[in-house]
Amino acid sequence: VQLVESGGGLVQPGGSLRLSCAASGFSFNTLWMNWVRQAPGRGLEWVANMNQDGSDKKYADSVQGRFTISRDNAQSSLYLQMNSLRAEDTAVYYCTSPFTVDNFQHWGRGTPVTVSS
Amino acid sequence: EVVLTQSPLSLPVTLGQPASISCRSSQSLVHSDGDTYLNWFQQRPGQSPRRLIYKVSNRDSGVPDRFSGSGSGTDFTLRISRVEAEDVGVYYCMQGTYWPPFTFGGGTKVEIK
């Protein structure tokens, strides 16, 4: 099982960024998928998730209306479009498999996002 | 939103000695399906988090049996029977019963004395 995030970087406040997560080694199209973030020196914060066919999406209040989660099952890829970025969005962003599946739970290595002028 | 409170914040432990971390929830984590979706994660320095325990007391594959989880309702505990050097890191509880949002505890840092 592999989850490989990409797309992070330095962006100015108010800017946009699109994160990607390439999944392999499991049946990506059968699972809900998550984004979780971790600000520097801080704890873990769930950001968003979506169901298998993309018809159901959930967001943390802190990103609702600014971030959009999406997926491409043909490419086994998960995405996070981040708009109107703020300094408090600075974090490492992780792609993860579902939290409630028995004996199967995986995280990527994360991609860092820095929002600063 | 379910709030998870972990204690202690920091836990210095002697190698070979046991360690215990508490996680208290602001409401019962028993799901309508009868399961309790309380997970424990380990994050070693510089690494991604890794799940150790799911549904209170079930170890994920490859997790050493020195790690165990227990509890019910609102009170949960992660125990390490004999701490090894590789156990250094931050441990988080997380609930998956009432979401969105999934919520994490604030973390407990385990270090060697």
Side-chain angles (χ1 to χ4, degrees), chain B residues 9 40 44 49 53 55-57 63-64 75 81 87 89 97 101 105:
Chain B
L9 261 58
W40 287 97
R44 291 169 171 156
I53 302 287
K55 289 194 287 189
V56 180
S57 59
V63 174
D75 288 341
S81 59
D87 300 335
T97 297

Side-chain angles (χ1 to χ4, degrees), chain B residues 51-65:
Chain B
R51 193 177 71 180
L52 301 175
I53 302 287
Y54 62 94
K55 289 194 287 189
V56 180
S57 59
N58 298 275
R59 271 189 306 275
D60 277 282
S61 297
V63 174
D65 60 9

Side-chain angles (χ1 to χ4, degrees), chain A residues 19-83:
Chain A
L19 306 184
S20 300
C21 170
S24 60
F26 65 101
S27 298
F28 177 81
N29 62 348
T30 66
L31 297 175
W32 283 73
M33 293 294 293
N34 298 289
W35 287 99
V36 174
R37 68 184 180 183
Q38 186 170 35
R42 306 295 295 275
L44 301 168
E45 180 187 17
W46 172 80
V47 173
N49 69 353
M50 72 186 300
N51 69 344
Q52 294 87 334
D53 66 4
S55 61
D56 195 0
K57 305 176 184 183
K58 307 293 185 188
Y59 299 93
D61 287 347
S62 57
V63 307
Q64 181 76 48
R66 301 187 300 121
F67 290 11
T68 302
I69 189 171
S70 62
R71 68 193 294 164
D72 182 341
N73 286 337
Q75 299 292 322
S76 294
S77 292
L78 184 71
Y79 305 100
L80 187 67
Q81 177 67 43
M82 305 187 297
N83 297 333

Side-chain angles (χ1 to χ4, degrees), chain A residues 38 99 101-103 108-109, chain B residues 39 41 43 48 51 55 61:
Chain A
Q38 186 170 35
F99 298 121
V101 174
D102 290 359
N103 210 25
R109 290 193 165 194
Chain B
N39 295 337
F41 291 85
Q43 187 173 29
S48 303
R51 193 177 71 180
K55 289 194 287 189
S61 297

Side-chain angles (χ1 to χ4, degrees), chain B residues 62-94:
Chain B
V63 174
D65 60 9
R66 64 179 181 275
F67 290 94
S68 64
S70 64
S72 63
T74 60
D75 288 341
F76 304 94
T77 302
L78 176 70
R79 290 187 175 86
I80 311 174
S81 59
R82 295 172 304 281
V83 172
E84 299 189 4
E86 66 179 17
D87 300 335
V88 164
V90 181
Y91 291 77
Y92 298 93
C93 57
M94 190 222 83

